[in-house]
């Protein structure tokens, strides 16, 4: 009888032990530095080996990491590389740094009439968007200038960088994330396609802003029933450039759009900088009551001209919020190019990738941070070449927390279930509002890195990289680690 009872109780004992191990997986690692059991389980379910990921977790003020798994492997961090670029920018340039855009009159100016050319020279302003370009026009008009009888000269010579193919990365040359850096980049050369369901007309209204004369639209969208869902994948956008003039573009919209969708929008970059800037300048200048009779020319500003106006961008502390919260690639690339020049109006022009790389490495060395595996191609993470280890990204975040620019840096990061790329992540969990983290995503790459305030009020650095063909499924494992860190004793 006793033997029989023991034989039946053994499975129950193992069952309880298994439950205990699962519980411990949430509250403690099996050994210091190891991956929590519950996270290992998730990775195993997803068929992602530990060799394909790098994890680093360390509490602020602790001498050793809590978790460090494959943490020294050089990995592609995708957009998490923006943390390096923005932190370096804050320390090297300062939170109040602004980018100038210079406006010159090359000719006689009398009674508000410029008998010559208006010259605009850019120095890499990453936020010369539609609103700020309008403000630039407004301030130019306030100088008393109302008529320009020459041409519009655009000077982009502050940048000396390769003339790459914008479609080289993924074959999508019109997508705005592939826009290449330009010293004079107006509104990211972007046209925003706004879609409005009109059930009363059984149609979809399409509005493009701004809409230059050289851009045409063919709307073949069908209004449908049902949930809005993944509306972006239900429509097709074809861009047809004129054979004789590639800047004369027709956008053809087809596919389905649900009447349940609210207003949605898609941004495309469809024209080269000269044509785009000319058309936008003409429209905004006319709105200001100005007259312009010329055309656009790309060239270099003559030496010795006296500025009509110097326009200053918003401060860097504001700009990095867009870079990190919404993963703005082109703004990150423009910031990266600025790191090697600083006050470019005074000295050290032109900006080059080599100067920026050297500036980053000098800055790291000055902080006693040695990252031999580091590869930075453009500073945005939109790269197949960029590399950093999870440990060194963690050490970078630890250094940033002890930096004078820490408040500006952390406030630029997405907040869990609140805004940015984390707006729809960690909702209805204890982590909501307590994690400031940057996400990253490329084909076969997923990344998450930043700061978490745990349930005991301790600030913890968390880094999780995955480089694997199953990386797109790794979010559950990453979120599980974040919850484990929050709940740990």
């Amino acid at each position: 009888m006793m033997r029989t009872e023991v034989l039946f109780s053994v499975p129950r004992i193992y069952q309880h032990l298994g439950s205990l191990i699962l519980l411990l997986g949430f509250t403690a690692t099996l050994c210091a530095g190891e991956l929590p059991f519950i996270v290992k389980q998730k990775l195993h379910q997803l068929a992602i080996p530990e060799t394909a990921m790098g994890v680093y977790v360390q509490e602020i003020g602790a001498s050793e990491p809590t978790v460090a798994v494959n943490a020294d492997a050089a990995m592609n961090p995708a957009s998490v590389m923006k943390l390096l670029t923005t932190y370096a920018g804050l320390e090297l340039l300062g939170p109040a740094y602004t980018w100038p855009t210079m406006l010159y009159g090359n000719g006689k100016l009398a009674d508000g009439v410029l008998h010559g050319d208006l010259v605009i020279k850019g120095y890499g302003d990453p936020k010369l968007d539609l609103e700020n370009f309008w403000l630039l026009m407004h301030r130019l008009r306030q100088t008393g200038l109302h008529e320009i009888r020459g041409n519009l000269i655009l000077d982009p010579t502050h940048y000396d960088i390769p003339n790459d193919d914008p479609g080289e990365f993924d074959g999508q040359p019109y997508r705005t994330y592939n826009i290449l850096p330009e010293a004079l980049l107006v509104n990211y050369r972007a046209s925003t396609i706004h879609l409005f369901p009109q059930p009363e007309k059984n149609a979809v209204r399409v509005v493009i802003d701004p809409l230059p004369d050289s851009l045409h639209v063919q709307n073949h969208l069908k209004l449908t029933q049902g949930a809005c869902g993944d509306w972006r994948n239900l429509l097709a956008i074809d861009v047809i450039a004129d054979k004789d003039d590639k800047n004369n573009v027709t956008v053809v919209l087809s596919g389905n759009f649900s009447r349940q969708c609210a207003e949605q929008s898609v941004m495309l970059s469809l024209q080269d900088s000269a044509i785009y800037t000319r058309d936008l300048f003409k429209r905004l200048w006319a709105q200001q009551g100005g007259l312009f009779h010329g055309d656009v020319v790309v060239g270099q500003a003559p030496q010795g001209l006296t500025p009509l106006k110097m326009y200053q961008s918003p401060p860097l502390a504001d700009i990095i919020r867009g870079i990190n919260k919404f993963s703005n690639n082109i703004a990150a690339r423009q910031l990266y190019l600025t790191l090697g020049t600083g006050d470019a109006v005074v000295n050290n022009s032109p900006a080059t990738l080599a100067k920026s790389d050297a500036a980053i490495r000098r800055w790291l060395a000055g902080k006693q941070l040695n990252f031999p595996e580091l590869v930075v191609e453009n500073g945005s993470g939109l790269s197949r070449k960029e590399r950093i280890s999870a440990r060194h990204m963690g050490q970078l975040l630890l250094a940033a927390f002890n930096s004078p620019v820490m408040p500006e840096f952390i406030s630029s990061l997405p907040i869990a279930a609140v805004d940015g790329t984390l707006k729809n992540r960690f909702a209805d969990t204890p982590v909501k509002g307590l994690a400031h983290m940057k996400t990253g995503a490329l084909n076969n790459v997923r990344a998450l890195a930043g700061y978490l305030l745990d349930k005991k009020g301790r600030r913890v650095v968390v880094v999780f990289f995955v480089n694997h063909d199953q990386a797109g499924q790794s979010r559950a494992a990453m979120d599980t680690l974040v919850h484990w860190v929050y709940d740990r004793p």
Side-chain angles (χ1 to χ4, degrees):
M1 179 66 69
M2 287 294 294
R3 180 175 298 176
T4 303
E5 289 177 352
V6 171
L7 286 174
F8 277 98
S9 62
V10 167
R12 294 195 182 102
I13 292 173
Y14 279 119
Q15 185 178 13
H16 291 307
L17 284 174
S19 300
L20 181 61
I21 291 172
L22 284 172
L23 179 62
L24 289 173
F26 281 103
T27 57
T29 51
L30 299 179
C31 180
E34 286 189 3
L35 202 61
F37 177 76
I38 193 69
V39 181
K40 286 185 179 182
Q41 266 197 328
K42 288 289 184 183
L43 290 169
H44 179 72
Q45 291 167 3
L46 298 167
I48 299 175
E50 290 190 15
T51 54
M53 41 133 272
V55 174
Y56 189 86
V57 177
Q58 183 166 341
E59 183 181 331
I60 300 292
S63 58
E64 296 292 335
T66 306
V67 179
V69 179
N70 203 32
D72 296 309
M75 306 195 78
N76 188 326
S79 282
V80 167
M81 187 61 87
K82 291 180 176 72
L83 297 179
L84 172 67
T85 301
T86 52
Y87 174 31
L90 285 170
E91 286 210 341
L92 291 173
L93 304 172
Y97 179 86
T98 58
W99 283 261
T101 299
M102 309 298 295
L103 297 100
Y104 303 95
N106 186 21
K108 184 181 178 181
L109 179 61
D111 299 323
V113 178
L114 176 59
H115 299 271
D117 301 326
L118 177 70
V119 182
I120 307 180
K121 182 176 177 62
Y123 287 92
D125 182 349
K127 197 170 174 55
L128 195 56
D129 57 17
L130 189 60
E131 292 80 8
N132 286 318
F133 192 60
W134 179 93
L135 186 59
L136 181 151
M137 295 290 98
H138 179 68
R139 290 178 179 172
L140 178 63
R141 185 71 177 80
Q142 286 181 324
T143 66
L145 177 66
H146 69 86
E147 183 176 358
I148 303 162
R149 294 190 174 175
N151 290 323
L152 177 64
I153 309 297
L154 307 178
D155 184 347
T157 57
H158 176 60
Y159 279 1
D160 182 11
I161 57 177
N163 186 22
D164 294 329
D165 174 9
E168 182 180 0
F169 180 75
D170 61 0
Q172 300 287 334
Y174 298 114
R175 298 298 295 272
T176 52
Y177 60 76
N178 276 326
I179 294 172
L180 300 175
E182 297 178 26
L184 182 56
L185 182 64
V186 177
N187 199 37
Y188 308 121
R189 291 193 288 108
S191 295
T192 304
I193 303 173
H194 300 280
L195 307 175
F196 301 88
Q198 292 185 305
E200 69 280 5
K201 296 182 179 181
N202 195 33
V204 181
R205 179 170 172 249
V206 175
V207 176
I208 297 187
D209 184 35
L211 180 62
D213 295 337
S214 52
L215 184 60
H216 314 282
V217 180
Q218 293 181 13
N219 178 10
H220 302 302
L221 287 171
K222 296 179 180 179
L223 192 65
T224 61
Q225 301 283 352
C228 184
D230 190 6
W231 63 270
R232 182 65 183 83
N233 288 328
L234 296 177
L235 57 89
I237 302 177
D238 294 317
V239 179
I240 303 172
D242 189 276
K243 292 181 179 179
D244 298 322
D245 182 2
K246 67 177 183 178
N247 287 296
N248 195 348
V249 174
T250 300
V251 178
V252 182
L253 299 168
S254 57
N256 300 325
F257 189 73
S258 172
R259 64 181 62 214
Q260 301 301 323
C261 292
E263 175 194 350
Q264 302 293 345
S265 61
V266 180
M267 294 179 68
L268 298 176
S269 178
L270 301 167
Q271 298 170 303
D272 70 26
S273 208
I275 300 300
Y276 182 90
T277 304
R278 178 200 66 187
D279 291 354
L280 188 57
F281 175 85
K282 282 183 174 181
R283 179 164 298 188
L284 296 182
W285 186 241
Q287 288 176 4
Q288 298 285 337
L291 300 174
F292 174 59
H293 306 285
D295 205 341
V296 66
V297 178
V298 177
Q300 188 165 4
Q303 296 293 321
L305 295 180
T306 301
L308 290 172
K309 194 70 181 176
M310 180 172 70
Y311 172 80
Q312 297 282 2
S313 74
L316 175 61
D318 290 348
I319 286 175
I320 66 165
R321 290 173 64 84
I323 292 175
N324 284 332
K325 284 188 180 292
F326 302 102
S327 214
N328 188 319
N329 288 304
I330 184 59
R333 296 179 74 159
Q334 306 253 133
L335 170 57
Y336 179 70
L337 280 163
T338 307
L339 300 180
T341 58
D343 191 353
V345 177
V346 178
N347 54 31
N348 210 17
S349 188
T352 68
L353 292 169
K355 287 179 183 178
S356 296
D357 186 73
I360 282 273
R361 295 183 188 280
R362 285 194 304 270
W363 171 71
L364 288 171
K367 302 178 76 64
Q368 287 77 52
L369 295 173
N370 179 28
F371 298 174
E373 85 291 355
L374 178 67
V375 178
V376 184
E377 182 181 19
N378 56 48
S380 74
L382 190 70
S383 167
R384 299 296 179 191
K385 300 176 183 177
E386 294 194 332
R387 294 291 185 275
I388 192 171
S389 70
R391 184 185 304 276
H392 288 154
M393 181 57 70
Q395 289 178 356
L396 188 81
L397 291 170
L398 291 169
F401 191 82
N402 292 309
S403 168
V405 300
M406 178 270 286
E408 291 82 5
F409 179 67
I410 293 184
S411 69
S412 76
L413 303 182
I415 305 172
V418 173
D419 67 5
T421 56
L422 287 183
K423 185 174 182 178
N424 299 316
R425 194 161 170 178
F426 298 109
D428 301 320
T429 76
V431 173
K432 179 180 179 179
L434 299 180
H436 289 70
M437 293 185 170
K438 181 76 191 75
T439 59
L442 294 172
N443 287 340
N444 301 331
V445 178
R446 290 296 186 273
L448 183 69
Y451 304 94
L452 171 66
L453 195 66
D454 72 12
K455 68 179 182 181
K456 292 191 174 181
R458 300 166 296 189
R459 190 80 64 179
V460 185
V461 166
V462 180
V463 181
F464 202 143
F465 295 157
V466 178
N467 290 187
H468 190 264
D469 57 11
Q470 287 289 101
Q473 308 300 317
S474 63
R475 173 171 162 172
M478 292 181 175
D479 291 1
T480 298
L481 177 68
V482 171
H483 289 297
W484 178 89
V485 173
Y486 174 82
D487 282 323
R488 68 196 175 93

